[in-house]
Each structure stands twice: as C-alpha cells, then as structure tokens.
Amino acid sequence: MSRRLVGIFVLSLLLIGIFGFSVIAADTSGTPPTPPSSEDRSQMEAKMKAEKEAFISTLAGNLGVTVDELNAALKETQEQILAEKVANGEITQEQADKMAERDVSFGFGGPGGPGGHGGPGGPPPRDGSVPGSSSQSQ
C-alpha cells in the first residue's frame, strides 16, 4: 500500500476518533442513562453493524481497493502492531493472541471492545490494578 493510502487511512481513523469523542463529550445532562432493553440493544447493534459495513465499503472505495483488500490490510496492520508490542515487552504473546482474535472495528465496537466500556478487553479491574502489569515488586 502506498504512503498516500496509509495516510488517508490514518486520517480516517483520527476523524472517527474525534467525532466519537465529541459525541460522548456532548452529553452534559448529568443524569445516568437508562440501560436499553434487549430489543433496543438488538436494534442498536444491527444499526451499528450496518454503519460499520457502509463505512468500510466507502473507505475501500475512496482508497481504490476492495473491501477484502482493506480488511486484509487492517488485519496485517493489527498483526504488525501486536508483534511490535510483544517485542517491546508491552504485552505478552498470550495477550497479543487474544487481541488478534478480535475484529478490527474502527471504534464501532460494543461493550468490552474498541469504543465500548473500557475499550479493548472491557472495563478496568475493580481492584484498581492496571491490566497487564505485574503486582509483584521487582
């Protein structure tokens, strides 16, 4: 993939992140939201899936590649980043393997996934520890 395509791809991800943050930051009502019913949740998940597919399709078209080529590039990028994190000691191979099983979702994920409650891996532990860190002193 050329540098131009990679640049467009990265810019797209940044714009999605900025838009997502502005939507979250706009809720200033101060009252906690009511959890959706299972029917509402199913409808929201179907809508999010359709929006994700439309986004991926449009992005692939803008980059002049097929959806399959874009998905392959996303998976390859995910694998490269995870391998780099393992090599740098930021995560274990086991953690990388679990992360590699997940869909690369552009922030369209649900609870426990990217864009969900706590991001990748779900909410932080209740004991206040940092996931992936050792509790033993070195």
Side-chain angles (χ1 to χ4, degrees):
M1 223 188 271
S2 72
R3 285 188 171 286
R4 181 174 177 256
L5 292 178
V6 172
I8 292 171
F9 177 70
V10 170
L11 178 62
S12 298
L13 290 177
L14 289 173
L15 291 174
I16 290 169
I18 291 168
F19 176 75
F21 177 77
S22 65
V23 169
I24 292 168
D27 182 12
T28 58
S29 64
T31 59
T34 304
S37 67
S38 60
E39 183 179 329
D40 289 342
R41 185 169 177 82
S42 295
Q43 290 174 351
M44 288 187 308
E45 288 172 355
K47 182 178 179 184
M48 285 174 34
K49 181 179 179 185
E51 288 176 356
K52 174 187 173 186
E53 289 172 358
F55 176 82
I56 294 287
S57 178
T58 302
L59 179 60
N62 289 340
L63 294 173
V65 298
T66 67
V67 170
D68 289 340
E69 290 171 326
L70 177 60
N71 285 329
L74 289 170
K75 189 66 176 172
E76 182 180 344
T77 302
Q78 179 189 38
E79 290 170 1
Q80 289 171 343
I81 290 171
L82 291 174
E84 184 178 297
K85 289 184 177 291
V86 170
N88 291 339
E90 296 176 47
I91 60 173
T92 65
Q93 184 61 53
E94 182 180 353
Q95 290 170 318
D97 293 343
K98 287 180 183 178
M99 290 176 181
E101 293 172 5
R102 295 186 183 147
D103 179 34
V104 181
S105 67
F106 287 110
F108 290 102
H117 304 287
R126 293 179 186 227
D127 64 3
S129 65
V130 177
S133 67
S134 174
S135 59
Q136 300 172 350
S137 58
Q138 297 178 357

